[in-house]
Every structure is written in structure tokens, then in C-alpha cells.
Coordinates of all heavy atoms in Angstrom, one line a residue:
M1 N 7.0 -7.0 15.0 CA 7.6 -5.8 14.8 C 8.3 -5.2 16.0 O 9.5 -4.8 15.9 CB 6.5 -4.9 14.3 CG 6.9 -3.8 13.6 SD 7.5 -2.7 12.6 CE 7.8 -1.5 13.8
A2 N 7.6 -5.2 17.1 CA 8.2 -4.7 18.3 C 9.5 -5.6 18.7 O 10.5 -5.0 19.1 CB 7.2 -4.7 19.5
Q3 N 9.3 -6.9 18.6 CA 10.4 -7.8 18.9 C 11.7 -7.5 18.0 O 12.8 -7.4 18.5 CB 10.0 -9.2 18.7 CG 11.1 -10.2 19.1 CD 10.6 -11.7 18.9 OE1 9.4 -11.9 18.5 NE2 11.4 -12.6 19.3
E4 N 11.4 -7.3 16.7 CA 12.6 -7.0 15.8 C 13.2 -5.7 16.1 O 14.4 -5.6 16.2 CB 12.0 -7.0 14.4 CG 13.1 -6.7 13.3 CD 14.0 -7.8 13.0 OE1 13.6 -9.0 13.2 OE2 15.1 -7.6 12.5
A5 N 12.4 -4.7 16.4 CA 12.9 -3.3 16.7 C 13.7 -3.4 18.0 O 14.8 -2.8 18.1 CB 11.8 -2.3 16.8
L6 N 13.2 -4.1 19.1 CA 13.9 -4.2 20.3 C 15.2 -5.0 20.2 O 16.2 -4.7 20.8 CB 13.0 -4.8 21.4 CG 12.0 -3.9 22.0 CD1 11.0 -4.6 22.8 CD2 12.7 -2.8 22.8
H7 N 15.1 -6.1 19.4 CA 16.4 -6.9 19.1 C 17.4 -6.0 18.5 O 18.6 -6.0 18.9 CB 16.0 -8.0 18.2 CG 17.2 -8.8 17.7 ND1 17.8 -9.7 18.6 CD2 17.9 -8.8 16.6 CE1 18.9 -10.3 17.9 NE2 18.9 -9.7 16.7
N8 N 17.1 -5.2 17.5 CA 18.0 -4.3 16.9 C 18.6 -3.3 17.9 O 19.8 -3.0 17.9 CB 17.4 -3.6 15.7 CG 17.3 -4.5 14.5 OD1 17.8 -5.6 14.4 ND2 16.5 -4.0 13.5
A9 N 17.7 -2.7 18.7 CA 18.1 -1.7 19.7 C 19.1 -2.3 20.7 O 20.1 -1.7 21.0 CB 16.9 -1.2 20.4
V10 N 18.8 -3.5 21.2 CA 19.7 -4.2 22.1 C 21.1 -4.5 21.4 O 22.1 -4.2 22.0 CB 19.1 -5.5 22.6 CG1 20.1 -6.4 23.4 CG2 17.9 -5.2 23.5
K11 N 21.0 -4.9 20.2 CA 22.2 -5.3 19.5 C 23.1 -4.1 19.1 O 24.4 -4.2 19.1 CB 21.8 -6.1 18.2 CG 23.0 -6.7 17.5 CD 22.4 -7.6 16.4 CE 23.6 -8.3 15.6 NZ 23.0 -9.2 14.6
Y12 N 22.5 -3.0 18.7 CA 23.3 -1.9 18.1 C 23.3 -0.6 18.8 O 24.2 0.2 18.6 CB 22.7 -1.6 16.7 CG 22.8 -2.8 15.7 CD1 21.7 -3.4 15.3 CD2 24.0 -3.2 15.3 CE1 21.7 -4.5 14.4 CE2 24.1 -4.3 14.4 CZ 23.0 -4.9 14.0 OH 23.1 -6.0 13.1
S13 N 22.4 -0.3 19.8 CA 22.3 1.0 20.4 C 23.4 1.3 21.4 O 23.7 2.5 21.6 CB 21.0 1.2 21.0 OG 20.8 0.4 22.2
G14 N 23.9 0.3 22.1 CA 24.9 0.5 23.1 C 24.2 0.9 24.4 O 24.9 1.3 25.4
T15 N 22.9 0.9 24.5 CA 22.2 1.3 25.8 C 21.3 0.1 26.2 O 21.1 -0.8 25.4 CB 21.4 2.6 25.6 OG1 20.9 3.0 26.9 CG2 20.3 2.4 24.6
R16 N 20.9 0.1 27.4 CA 20.0 -0.9 27.9 C 18.6 -0.3 28.3 O 17.9 -0.9 29.0 CB 20.6 -1.7 29.1 CG 21.8 -2.5 28.6 CD 21.4 -3.6 27.8 NE 22.5 -4.4 27.4 CZ 22.9 -4.6 26.1 NH1 22.2 -4.0 25.1 NH2 23.9 -5.4 25.8
E17 N 18.4 0.9 27.9 CA 17.1 1.6 28.2 C 16.4 1.9 26.9 O 16.9 2.6 26.1 CB 17.3 2.8 29.0 CG 17.9 2.6 30.4 CD 18.0 3.8 31.3 OE1 17.3 4.8 31.0 OE2 18.9 3.8 32.1
F18 N 15.1 1.4 26.9 CA 14.3 1.6 25.7 C 12.9 2.0 26.1 O 12.4 1.7 27.2 CB 14.3 0.2 24.9 CG 15.6 -0.4 24.8 CD1 16.0 -1.5 25.6 CD2 16.5 0.0 23.8 CE1 17.2 -2.0 25.5 CE2 17.7 -0.5 23.7 CZ 18.1 -1.6 24.5
T19 N 12.2 2.6 25.2 CA 10.8 3.0 25.4 C 10.0 2.3 24.3 O 10.3 2.4 23.1 CB 10.6 4.5 25.3 OG1 11.4 5.1 26.2 CG2 9.2 4.9 25.5
V20 N 9.0 1.6 24.7 CA 8.0 1.0 23.8 C 6.7 1.5 24.1 O 6.2 1.5 25.3 CB 8.0 -0.6 23.9 CG1 7.0 -1.2 23.0 CG2 9.4 -1.1 23.7
E21 N 6.0 2.0 23.1 CA 4.7 2.6 23.3 C 3.7 2.1 22.2 O 4.0 2.0 21.1 CB 4.8 4.1 23.1 CG 3.6 5.0 23.4 CD 4.0 6.4 23.3 OE1 4.0 7.0 22.1 OE2 4.2 7.1 24.3
L22 N 2.6 1.6 22.7 CA 1.6 1.1 21.8 C 0.3 1.8 22.1 O -0.2 1.8 23.2 CB 1.4 -0.4 22.0 CG 0.4 -1.1 21.1 CD1 0.9 -1.1 19.7 CD2 0.2 -2.6 21.6
I23 N -0.2 2.5 21.1 CA -1.4 3.3 21.2 C -2.5 2.8 20.2 O -2.1 2.6 19.0 CB -1.1 4.8 20.9 CG1 -0.1 5.3 21.9 CG2 -2.4 5.6 20.9 CD1 0.4 6.7 21.6
G24 N -3.7 2.6 20.7 CA -4.7 2.2 19.8 C -5.9 3.2 19.8 O -6.2 3.7 20.9
T25 N -6.5 3.5 18.7 CA -7.6 4.3 18.6 C -8.7 3.5 17.9 O -8.5 2.3 17.5 CB -7.4 5.6 17.9 OG1 -7.1 5.3 16.5 CG2 -6.2 6.4 18.4
G26 N -9.8 4.1 17.6 CA -10.8 3.4 16.8 C -10.4 3.1 15.4 O -11.0 2.2 14.8
D27 N -9.4 3.8 14.9 CA -9.0 3.7 13.5 C -7.7 3.1 13.2 O -7.4 2.6 12.1 CB -9.0 5.1 12.9 CG -10.4 5.8 12.9 OD1 -11.4 5.1 13.0 OD2 -10.4 7.0 12.7
L28 N -6.8 3.1 14.3 CA -5.4 2.6 14.0 C -4.7 2.2 15.3 O -5.2 2.4 16.4 CB -4.6 3.7 13.3 CG -4.4 5.1 14.1 CD1 -3.3 5.0 15.0 CD2 -4.3 6.2 13.0
I29 N -3.6 1.5 15.0 CA -2.7 1.1 16.1 C -1.3 1.7 15.7 O -0.9 1.6 14.6 CB -2.6 -0.4 16.2 CG1 -3.9 -1.0 16.7 CG2 -1.5 -0.8 17.2 CD1 -3.9 -2.5 16.8
Q30 N -0.7 2.3 16.7 CA 0.6 2.9 16.5 C 1.6 2.3 17.5 O 1.4 2.4 18.7 CB 0.5 4.4 16.6 CG 1.8 5.2 16.4 CD 1.6 6.6 16.5 OE1 1.0 7.2 15.6 NE2 2.1 7.3 17.5
L31 N 2.7 1.8 16.9 CA 3.8 1.3 17.8 C 5.0 2.2 17.6 O 5.4 2.5 16.5 CB 4.2 -0.1 17.3 CG 5.4 -0.7 17.9 CD1 5.2 -1.0 19.4 CD2 5.8 -2.0 17.2
T32 N 5.6 2.6 18.7 CA 6.8 3.4 18.7 C 7.9 2.7 19.6 O 7.6 2.2 20.7 CB 6.6 4.8 19.3 OG1 5.5 5.4 18.6 CG2 7.8 5.6 19.2
V33 N 9.1 2.5 19.1 CA 10.2 1.9 19.8 C 11.3 2.9 19.7 O 11.7 3.3 18.6 CB 10.6 0.5 19.3 CG1 11.8 0.0 20.1 CG2 9.5 -0.5 19.3
M34 N 11.8 3.4 20.9 CA 12.8 4.4 21.0 C 14.0 4.0 21.9 O 13.8 3.3 22.8 CB 12.2 5.7 21.5 CG 11.2 6.3 20.6 SD 10.5 7.9 21.3 CE 9.5 7.2 22.6
D35 N 15.1 4.5 21.5 CA 16.3 4.4 22.5 C 17.1 5.7 22.4 O 16.9 6.5 21.4 CB 17.1 3.2 22.1 CG 17.9 3.3 20.8 OD1 18.8 4.2 20.7 OD2 17.6 2.5 19.9
T36 N 17.9 5.9 23.3 CA 18.8 7.1 23.3 C 20.3 6.7 23.1 O 21.2 7.3 23.6 CB 18.7 7.9 24.7 OG1 19.0 6.9 25.8 CG2 17.3 8.4 24.9
G37 N 20.4 5.6 22.4 CA 21.8 5.1 22.1 C 22.5 5.7 21.0 O 22.4 6.9 20.7
A38 N 23.4 4.9 20.4 CA 24.3 5.3 19.4 C 23.7 6.0 18.1 O 24.3 6.8 17.5 CB 25.2 4.2 19.0
G39 N 22.5 5.5 17.7 CA 21.9 6.0 16.5 C 22.7 5.6 15.3 O 23.7 4.9 15.4
F40 N 22.2 5.9 14.1 CA 22.8 5.5 12.9 C 22.2 6.4 11.7 O 21.2 7.1 11.9 CB 22.6 4.0 12.6 CG 21.1 3.6 12.5 CD1 20.5 3.5 11.2 CD2 20.4 3.3 13.6 CE1 19.2 3.2 11.1 CE2 19.0 3.0 13.5 CZ 18.5 2.9 12.2
D41 N 22.7 6.3 10.6 CA 22.2 6.9 9.4 C 21.3 5.9 8.7 O 21.8 4.9 8.1 CB 23.3 7.3 8.5 CG 22.9 8.0 7.2 OD1 21.7 8.0 6.9 OD2 23.7 8.5 6.4
P42 N 20.0 6.1 8.7 CA 19.0 5.1 8.2 C 19.3 4.8 6.7 O 19.2 3.7 6.2 CB 17.7 5.7 8.4 CG 17.8 6.6 9.5 CD 19.2 7.2 9.4
E43 N 19.6 5.9 5.9 CA 19.9 5.7 4.5 C 21.1 4.8 4.2 O 21.1 3.9 3.4 CB 20.0 7.0 3.8 CG 20.0 6.9 2.3 CD 18.7 6.3 1.8 OE1 17.6 6.5 2.3 OE2 18.8 5.5 0.8
D44 N 22.1 5.0 5.0 CA 23.3 4.2 4.9 C 23.0 2.7 5.2 O 23.5 1.8 4.5 CB 24.4 4.7 5.9 CG 25.7 4.0 5.7 OD1 26.2 3.9 4.5 OD2 26.3 3.5 6.7
V45 N 22.2 2.4 6.2 CA 21.8 1.1 6.6 C 21.0 0.4 5.5 O 21.2 -0.7 5.1 CB 21.1 1.0 7.9 CG1 20.5 -0.3 8.2 CG2 22.0 1.4 9.0
R46 N 20.1 1.2 4.9 CA 19.2 0.7 3.8 C 20.1 0.3 2.6 O 19.8 -0.7 1.9 CB 18.2 1.7 3.4 CG 17.0 1.8 4.3 CD 15.9 2.7 3.8 NE 14.9 2.8 4.8 CZ 14.7 3.9 5.6 NH1 15.5 5.0 5.4 NH2 13.7 4.0 6.5
Q47 N 21.1 1.1 2.3 CA 21.9 0.9 1.1 C 22.8 -0.3 1.3 O 23.3 -0.9 0.3 CB 22.7 2.1 0.8 CG 21.9 3.2 0.2 CD 22.7 4.5 -0.1 OE1 23.9 4.5 0.1 NE2 22.0 5.5 -0.5
H48 N 23.2 -0.6 2.5 CA 24.1 -1.7 2.8 C 23.5 -2.9 3.5 O 24.2 -3.6 4.3 CB 25.3 -1.1 3.6 CG 26.1 -0.1 2.9 ND1 25.8 1.3 3.0 CD2 27.0 -0.2 1.9 CE1 26.6 2.0 2.2 NE2 27.3 1.1 1.5
G49 N 22.3 -3.2 3.2 CA 21.7 -4.4 3.6 C 21.1 -4.5 5.0 O 21.2 -5.5 5.7
G50 N 20.4 -3.4 5.4 CA 19.7 -3.4 6.7 C 18.4 -4.3 6.6 O 17.3 -3.7 6.5
L51 N 18.6 -5.6 6.6 CA 17.5 -6.5 6.4 C 16.4 -6.4 7.5 O 15.2 -6.6 7.2 CB 17.9 -7.9 6.3 CG 18.8 -8.2 5.1 CD1 19.3 -9.7 5.1 CD2 18.1 -7.9 3.8
G52 N 16.8 -6.1 8.7 CA 15.8 -5.9 9.8 C 14.8 -4.8 9.5 O 13.6 -4.9 9.6
L53 N 15.4 -3.7 9.1 CA 14.6 -2.5 8.7 C 13.7 -2.8 7.5 O 12.5 -2.4 7.5 CB 15.4 -1.3 8.5 CG 16.1 -0.6 9.7 CD1 17.0 0.5 9.3 CD2 15.1 -0.2 10.7
V54 N 14.3 -3.4 6.5 CA 13.5 -3.7 5.3 C 12.4 -4.7 5.6 O 11.2 -4.5 5.2 CB 14.4 -4.3 4.2 CG1 13.6 -4.9 3.1 CG2 15.4 -3.3 3.7
S55 N 12.7 -5.7 6.4 CA 11.6 -6.7 6.8 C 10.5 -6.0 7.6 O 9.3 -6.3 7.3 CB 12.3 -7.8 7.7 OG 11.3 -8.6 8.2
M56 N 10.8 -5.1 8.5 CA 9.8 -4.4 9.3 C 8.9 -3.6 8.4 O 7.7 -3.6 8.5 CB 10.4 -3.6 10.4 CG 10.9 -4.4 11.6 SD 11.4 -3.4 13.0 CE 13.0 -2.9 12.4
Q57 N 9.6 -2.8 7.5 CA 8.9 -2.0 6.6 C 7.9 -2.8 5.7 O 6.8 -2.4 5.5 CB 9.8 -1.2 5.7 CG 9.2 -0.2 4.8 CD 10.1 0.7 4.1 OE1 11.3 0.5 4.0 NE2 9.6 1.8 3.6
E58 N 8.4 -3.9 5.1 CA 7.6 -4.7 4.3 C 6.3 -5.3 5.0 O 5.2 -5.3 4.5 CB 8.4 -5.9 3.7 CG 9.4 -5.4 2.6 CD 10.2 -6.5 2.1 OE1 10.2 -7.7 2.6 OE2 11.0 -6.2 1.1
R59 N 6.6 -5.7 6.3 CA 5.4 -6.3 7.0 C 4.4 -5.2 7.3 O 3.2 -5.5 7.2 CB 5.9 -6.9 8.3 CG 6.6 -8.2 8.1 CD 7.0 -8.8 9.4 NE 8.3 -8.3 9.7 CZ 9.0 -8.4 10.8 NH1 8.4 -8.9 11.9 NH2 10.2 -7.9 11.0
V60 N 4.8 -4.0 7.6 CA 3.8 -2.9 7.9 C 3.1 -2.5 6.6 O 1.9 -2.3 6.6 CB 4.6 -1.7 8.5 CG1 3.7 -0.5 8.5 CG2 5.1 -2.0 9.9
H61 N 3.8 -2.5 5.5 CA 3.2 -2.1 4.2 C 2.2 -3.2 3.7 O 1.2 -2.9 3.1 CB 4.2 -1.8 3.1 CG 4.9 -0.5 3.3 ND1 6.0 -0.1 2.7 CD2 4.5 0.6 4.1 CE1 6.4 1.1 3.1 NE2 5.5 1.5 4.0
L62 N 2.4 -4.4 4.1 CA 1.5 -5.5 3.7 C 0.1 -5.3 4.3 O -0.9 -5.7 3.8 CB 2.0 -6.9 4.2 CG 3.1 -7.5 3.3 CD1 3.6 -8.8 4.0 CD2 2.5 -7.8 1.9
V63 N 0.0 -4.6 5.5 CA -1.3 -4.3 6.1 C -1.6 -2.8 5.9 O -2.4 -2.3 6.7 CB -1.3 -4.8 7.6 CG1 -1.2 -6.3 7.7 CG2 -0.1 -4.1 8.4
H64 N -1.1 -2.2 4.9 CA -1.4 -0.9 4.5 C -1.1 0.2 5.5 O -1.8 1.2 5.7 CB -2.9 -0.8 4.1 CG -3.3 -1.7 3.1 ND1 -3.0 -1.6 1.7 CD2 -3.9 -2.9 3.1 CE1 -3.5 -2.6 1.0 NE2 -4.0 -3.5 1.9
G65 N 0.0 -0.1 6.3 CA 0.4 0.8 7.3 C 1.6 1.7 6.8 O 2.0 1.6 5.7
T66 N 2.1 2.6 7.7 CA 3.2 3.4 7.4 C 4.3 3.1 8.4 O 4.1 2.6 9.5 CB 2.9 4.9 7.6 OG1 2.4 5.2 8.9 CG2 1.8 5.3 6.6
F67 N 5.6 3.3 8.0 CA 6.7 2.9 8.7 C 7.8 4.0 8.6 O 8.0 4.4 7.5 CB 7.3 1.6 8.2 CG 8.5 1.1 8.9 CD1 8.5 0.4 10.1 CD2 9.8 1.3 8.4 CE1 9.6 0.0 10.8 CE2 10.9 0.9 9.0 CZ 10.8 0.2 10.2
S68 N 8.4 4.4 9.7 CA 9.4 5.4 9.6 C 10.5 5.1 10.6 O 10.2 4.6 11.7 CB 8.8 6.8 9.8 OG 8.4 7.0 11.1
V69 N 11.7 5.6 10.3 CA 12.9 5.5 11.2 C 13.5 6.9 11.3 O 13.8 7.5 10.3 CB 13.9 4.5 10.6 CG1 15.1 4.5 11.5 CG2 13.3 3.1 10.4
D70 N 13.6 7.3 12.5 CA 14.2 8.6 12.7 C 15.4 8.4 13.6 O 15.3 7.9 14.8 CB 13.2 9.6 13.5 CG 13.8 11.0 13.7 OD1 14.8 11.3 13.1 OD2 13.2 11.7 14.6
S71 N 16.6 8.6 13.0 CA 17.8 8.3 13.7 C 19.0 9.1 13.1 O 18.9 9.5 11.9 CB 18.2 6.8 13.7 OG 19.3 6.5 14.5
A72 N 20.0 9.3 13.9 CA 21.2 10.0 13.4 C 22.3 9.5 14.3 O 22.1 9.2 15.5 CB 21.1 11.5 13.4
P73 N 23.6 9.4 13.8 CA 24.7 9.0 14.7 C 24.7 9.9 16.0 O 24.7 11.1 15.9 CB 25.9 9.2 13.8 CG 25.4 9.0 12.4 CD 24.0 9.6 12.5
G74 N 24.8 9.2 17.1 CA 24.8 9.9 18.4 C 23.5 10.5 18.9 O 23.5 11.1 20.0
E75 N 22.4 10.3 18.2 CA 21.1 10.8 18.5 C 20.1 9.8 18.9 O 18.9 10.2 19.1 CB 20.6 11.7 17.4 CG 21.5 12.8 17.0 CD 21.6 13.9 18.1 OE1 20.5 14.2 18.7 OE2 22.7 14.4 18.3
G76 N 20.4 8.6 19.0 CA 19.4 7.6 19.3 C 18.5 7.2 18.1 O 18.8 7.7 17.0
T77 N 17.5 6.4 18.3 CA 16.6 5.9 17.2 C 15.2 5.9 17.7 O 14.9 5.6 18.8 CB 17.1 4.5 16.8 OG1 18.5 4.6 16.4 CG2 16.2 4.0 15.7
K78 N 14.3 6.3 16.7 CA 12.9 6.2 17.0 C 12.3 5.4 15.7 O 12.4 5.9 14.6 CB 12.2 7.5 17.1 CG 10.7 7.5 17.3 CD 10.2 8.9 17.4 CE 8.7 8.9 17.5 NZ 8.2 10.3 17.6
I79 N 11.6 4.3 16.0 CA 10.9 3.6 14.9 C 9.4 3.7 15.2 O 9.0 3.5 16.3 CB 11.4 2.1 14.9 CG1 12.9 2.0 14.5 CG2 10.5 1.3 14.0 CD1 13.4 0.7 14.5
L80 N 8.7 4.1 14.2 CA 7.3 4.3 14.3 C 6.5 3.5 13.2 O 6.9 3.6 12.0 CB 7.0 5.8 14.1 CG 5.5 6.2 14.1 CD1 4.9 6.0 15.5 CD2 5.4 7.7 13.8
A81 N 5.6 2.7 13.6 CA 4.8 2.0 12.7 C 3.3 2.2 13.0 O 2.9 2.2 14.2 CB 5.0 0.5 12.8
T82 N 2.6 2.6 12.0 CA 1.1 2.9 12.2 C 0.4 2.0 11.2 O 0.6 2.0 10.1 CB 0.8 4.4 11.9 OG1 1.7 5.2 12.8 CG2 -0.6 4.7 12.2
V83 N -0.6 1.3 11.8 CA -1.4 0.4 11.0 C -2.9 0.7 11.2 O -3.4 0.8 12.3 CB -1.1 -1.1 11.4 CG1 -2.0 -2.1 10.7 CG2 0.3 -1.4 11.2
P84 N -3.6 0.9 10.0 CA -5.1 1.1 10.2 C -5.8 -0.1 10.6 O -5.4 -1.3 10.2 CB -5.4 1.5 8.7 CG -4.4 0.9 7.9 CD -3.2 0.8 8.7
L85 N -6.8 0.0 11.4 CA -7.7 -1.1 11.8 C -8.7 -1.4 10.7 O -9.0 -0.5 9.9 CB -8.4 -0.8 13.1 CG -7.4 -0.7 14.3 CD1 -8.2 -0.3 15.5 CD2 -6.6 -1.9 14.5
G86 N -9.2 -2.6 10.6 CA -10.2 -2.9 9.6 C -9.6 -3.3 8.3 O -10.4 -3.4 7.3
V87 N -8.3 -3.5 8.2 CA -7.7 -3.8 6.9 C -8.3 -5.2 6.4 O -8.6 -5.3 5.2 CB -6.2 -3.9 7.0 CG1 -5.6 -4.5 5.8 CG2 -5.6 -2.5 7.2
A88 N -8.5 -6.1 7.3 CA -9.0 -7.5 6.9 C -10.4 -7.3 6.3 O -10.7 -7.9 5.2 CB -9.0 -8.4 8.0
E89 N -11.2 -6.5 6.9 CA -12.5 -6.2 6.3 C -12.4 -5.5 5.0 O -13.2 -5.9 4.1 CB -13.4 -5.4 7.3 CG -13.7 -6.2 8.6 CD -13.6 -5.3 9.8 OE1 -13.5 -4.1 9.7 OE2 -13.7 -5.9 10.9
W90 N -11.5 -4.6 4.9 CA -11.4 -3.8 3.6 C -10.9 -4.8 2.5 O -11.4 -4.8 1.4 CB -10.3 -2.7 3.8 CG -10.0 -2.0 2.6 CD1 -10.8 -1.0 2.0 CD2 -8.9 -2.2 1.8 NE1 -10.2 -0.6 0.8 CE2 -9.0 -1.3 0.7 CE3 -7.7 -3.0 1.8 CZ2 -8.0 -1.2 -0.3 CZ3 -6.8 -2.9 0.9 CH2 -6.9 -2.0 -0.2
M91 N -10.0 -5.7 2.9 CA -9.5 -6.6 1.9 C -10.6 -7.6 1.5 O -10.7 -7.9 0.3 CB -8.2 -7.4 2.4 CG -7.0 -6.5 2.5 SD -5.6 -7.3 3.4 CE -5.2 -8.5 2.2
Y92 N -11.4 -8.0 2.4 CA -12.5 -8.9 2.1 C -13.5 -8.2 1.2 O -13.9 -8.8 0.2 CB -13.2 -9.4 3.4 CG -14.5 -10.2 3.1 CD1 -14.4 -11.5 2.6 CD2 -15.7 -9.5 3.2 CE1 -15.6 -12.2 2.3 CE2 -16.9 -10.2 2.9 CZ -16.8 -11.5 2.5 OH -18.0 -12.2 2.1
S93 N -13.8 -7.0 1.5 CA -14.7 -6.2 0.7 C -14.2 -6.1 -0.7 O -14.9 -6.2 -1.7 CB -15.0 -4.8 1.3 OG -15.6 -5.0 2.5
E94 N -12.9 -5.8 -0.8 CA -12.3 -5.7 -2.2 C -12.4 -7.0 -2.9 O -12.8 -7.0 -4.1 CB -10.8 -5.2 -2.0 CG -10.2 -4.9 -3.3 CD -8.8 -4.4 -3.1 OE1 -7.9 -5.3 -2.9 OE2 -8.6 -3.2 -3.0
E95 N -12.1 -8.1 -2.3 CA -12.2 -9.4 -2.9 C -13.6 -9.7 -3.3 O -13.9 -10.2 -4.4 CB -11.6 -10.5 -2.0 CG -10.2 -10.4 -1.9 CD -9.7 -11.4 -0.8 OE1 -10.4 -12.2 -0.3 OE2 -8.5 -11.3 -0.4
H96 N -14.5 -9.4 -2.4 CA -16.0 -9.7 -2.6 C -16.4 -8.9 -3.8 O -17.1 -9.4 -4.7 CB -16.8 -9.4 -1.4 CG -18.2 -9.6 -1.5 ND1 -18.7 -10.9 -1.6 CD2 -19.3 -8.8 -1.6 CE1 -20.0 -10.9 -1.7 NE2 -20.4 -9.6 -1.7
S97 N -16.0 -7.7 -3.9 CA -16.4 -6.8 -5.0 C -15.9 -7.4 -6.3 O -16.6 -7.4 -7.3 CB -15.9 -5.4 -4.8 OG -16.5 -4.8 -3.7
A98 N -14.7 -7.9 -6.3 CA -14.1 -8.4 -7.6 C -14.9 -9.7 -8.0 O -15.1 -9.9 -9.2 CB -12.6 -8.8 -7.3
E99 N -15.3 -10.5 -7.0 CA -16.1 -11.7 -7.3 C -17.5 -11.3 -7.9 O -17.9 -11.9 -8.9 CB -16.3 -12.5 -6.0 CG -15.1 -13.2 -5.5 CD -15.3 -13.8 -4.2 OE1 -16.5 -13.9 -3.7 OE2 -14.3 -14.3 -3.6
E100 N -18.0 -10.3 -7.3 CA -19.3 -9.8 -7.9 C -19.2 -9.3 -9.3 O -20.1 -9.6 -10.1 CB -19.9 -8.7 -7.0 CG -20.3 -9.2 -5.6 CD -21.4 -10.2 -5.6 OE1 -22.4 -10.1 -6.4 OE2 -21.3 -11.2 -4.9
I101 N -18.1 -8.6 -9.6 CA -17.9 -8.1 -10.9 C -17.7 -9.2 -11.9 O -18.3 -9.2 -13.0 CB -16.7 -7.1 -10.9 CG1 -17.0 -5.9 -10.2 CG2 -16.3 -6.8 -12.4 CD1 -15.9 -5.0 -9.9
A102 N -17.0 -10.3 -11.5 CA -16.7 -11.4 -12.4 C -18.0 -12.2 -12.7 O -18.2 -12.7 -13.8 CB -15.7 -12.4 -11.7
K103 N -19.0 -12.2 -11.7 CA -20.2 -12.9 -12.0 C -21.1 -12.1 -13.0 O -22.0 -12.8 -13.6 CB -21.0 -13.0 -10.6 CG -20.4 -14.1 -9.7 CD -21.2 -14.2 -8.5 CE -20.5 -15.1 -7.5 NZ -21.3 -15.1 -6.2
S104 N -21.0 -10.8 -13.0 CA -21.9 -10.1 -13.9 C -21.4 -10.0 -15.3 O -20.5 -10.4 -15.8 CB -22.1 -8.7 -13.3 OG -20.9 -8.0 -13.1

């Protein structure tokens, strides 16, 4: 995700200065990638095939996270992804529960 966001920033922002922030707590991991470059209209990009954004959003949602893009022409871009920790254990518990129900 960070690689994709930085690739897009280098390709489209018109700047060479970026901020990458990774914060972890006991419950989640949060990734922020920001630039002060050209910016864009996120809705316009989504409607016209912004596959990089769609791909990042889908990957974050697969692990029950949240994804947002804050950008506007001339205002730079901020991409934020937050993923809860323990998703694998939660998914295992859910599968295990389904197996137990099927046995009864």
C-alpha cells in the first residue's frame, strides 16, 4: 500500500517531497502518505479509472480496514489507511464457529 501510494505521488504530484507515517497501537496500524503537490479531485479519478486508488481501497477492505483520500487540485494529497490488528484471529474464530455449528 505504501509503495503504491508513493508511486502515485511520484508520478502525479509534481513534487519530490513526501511524508510517510506508520503508527501502531495495540488495536490498529495506521498508514498515512502525504504530499504537497498538484492534488486532484478523488471522485473524478474514481469515475475515470483510477485503478491504483481502487486497488489500495480493495486491499484495505479485505482486512476490514478503512481507506480515505483527501485531495483537491492545488492542495496536495493525503492517503490514510487504518487496519485493525487481530483480523486473522477474528477470521479464524469466525471459521471455527461456522465449523462448530455445522457439526451440531
Side-chain angles (χ1 to χ4, degrees):
M1 199 63 206
Q3 183 179 2
E4 179 78 23
L6 283 169
H7 173 78
N8 286 348
V10 168
K11 189 172 180 179
Y12 298 112
S13 72
T15 187
R16 294 290 180 242
E17 292 185 26
F18 314 100
T19 301
V20 177
E21 188 175 80
L22 184 64
I23 299 172
T25 68
D27 298 342
L28 60 87
I29 294 176
Q30 180 174 292
L31 172 68
T32 306
V33 179
M34 295 180 286
D35 69 65
T36 57
F40 63 95
D41 178 351
E43 192 56 38
D44 186 50
V45 170
R46 283 188 187 102
Q47 290 177 3
H48 296 98
L51 295 178
L53 290 177
V54 170
S55 174
M56 286 188 281
Q57 183 172 18
E58 286 177 354
R59 283 182 274 164
V60 170
H61 285 164
L62 281 172
V63 291
H64 305 282
T66 60
F67 178 82
S68 65
V69 178
D70 183 16
S71 187
E75 299 293 321
T77 301
K78 178 180 177 180
I79 293 177
L80 176 66
T82 304
V83 176
L85 295 176
V87 170
E89 290 140 13
W90 175 78
M91 290 173 70
Y92 172 77
S93 295
E94 186 176 84
E95 289 171 10
H96 183 70
S97 297
E99 289 172 9
E100 293 298 320
I101 291 168
K103 288 179 185 176
S104 53

